[in-house]
Amino acid sequence: VYWTVDRLAGRRGAVLAAAVIGLFSFQPAWFVNWGRFTQVASQMVLLPALMLSWQALRAWREEWPARRAEIILLSLAGGLVTAGVFLLHFRLAALFLPLLILVALWELWRGLRTRRLGITLAGVGAVAAAAILMVTPALLPALQQYIQMKTTAQVIAAEAAGGGDYY
């Protein structure tokens, strides 16, 4: 929380946010206690993933091509941590995706205003491509298994009759 608020609101706000989370919230203790669950692990990675991706998009818009190597590494890091959120838990991926879309739209709008839309769009593509590339090895077998399970004759007959498993 500190790192995220520091990037968005400054050091004073980050210290205040860390104090509120550390002193008045019981959730950090729950995260330590329940840390073996995938949803909690994904929640712990969500804010850093959002901020890394946002920083990468901002760097594409503001600093390309002067810091080319750092921007590419930042894009890969943002894609890696974003892929981690998607792979850890599907529910958090569903919550995280709209946040990423909003961040991308915000940076694209700012790129349009500063006449750097093309390079900002390239940054969105780079972060998205890195995340998709890292998710694909797990996603394709899972989709194949799901499709194979849903296309058996028994499942089709049960769903056609109004029964069957919801999932």
Side-chain angles (χ1 to χ4, degrees):
V1 171
Y2 177 83
W3 184 60
T4 304
V5 177
D6 183 43
R7 299 280 184 208
L8 294 175
R11 189 65 38 102
R12 207 176 272 173
V15 170
L16 180 65
V20 167
I21 294 296
L23 297 175
F24 303 118
S25 176
F26 62 90
Q27 286 299 323
W30 281 89
F31 284 151
V32 171
N33 189 27
W34 291 66
R36 66 186 179 272
F37 295 114
T38 58
Q39 181 171 343
V40 177
S42 188
Q43 286 172 342
M44 295 298 289
V45 179
L46 189 130
L47 282 178
L50 183 67
M51 290 312 300
L52 272 173
S53 298
W54 199 340
Q55 277 189 286
L57 296 179
R58 184 178 297 159
W60 275 91
R61 182 177 48 81
E62 293 176 353
E63 300 170 5
W64 184 268
R67 294 180 47 212
R68 194 174 282 170
E70 291 105 1
I71 292 171
I72 290 171
L73 287 175
L74 189 60
S75 299
L76 288 173
L80 174 70
V81 183
T82 297
V85 171
F86 288 146
L87 289 173
L88 278 170
H89 201 277
F90 68 94
R91 193 176 302 139
L92 267 290
L95 293 174
F96 186 52
L97 194 58
L99 289 174
L100 277 178
I101 291 170
L102 286 174
V103 165
L105 289 174
W106 173 256
E107 287 300 322
L108 288 170
W109 179 73
R110 290 188 67 188
L112 182 65
R113 288 183 50 208
T114 58
R115 298 191 177 154
R116 304 223 0 126
L117 180 64
I119 200 66
T120 307
L121 194 57
V124 170
V127 173
I132 289 169
L133 185 68
M134 292 177 209
V135 168
T136 300
L139 183 64
L140 289 179
L143 284 175
Q144 288 172 346
Q145 179 70 24
Y146 181 77
I147 291 169
Q148 186 179 29
M149 179 186 71
K150 284 300 204 176
T151 56
T152 62
Q154 293 173 339
V155 172
I156 292 172
E159 289 180 354
D165 187 14
Y166 177 73
Y167 298 103

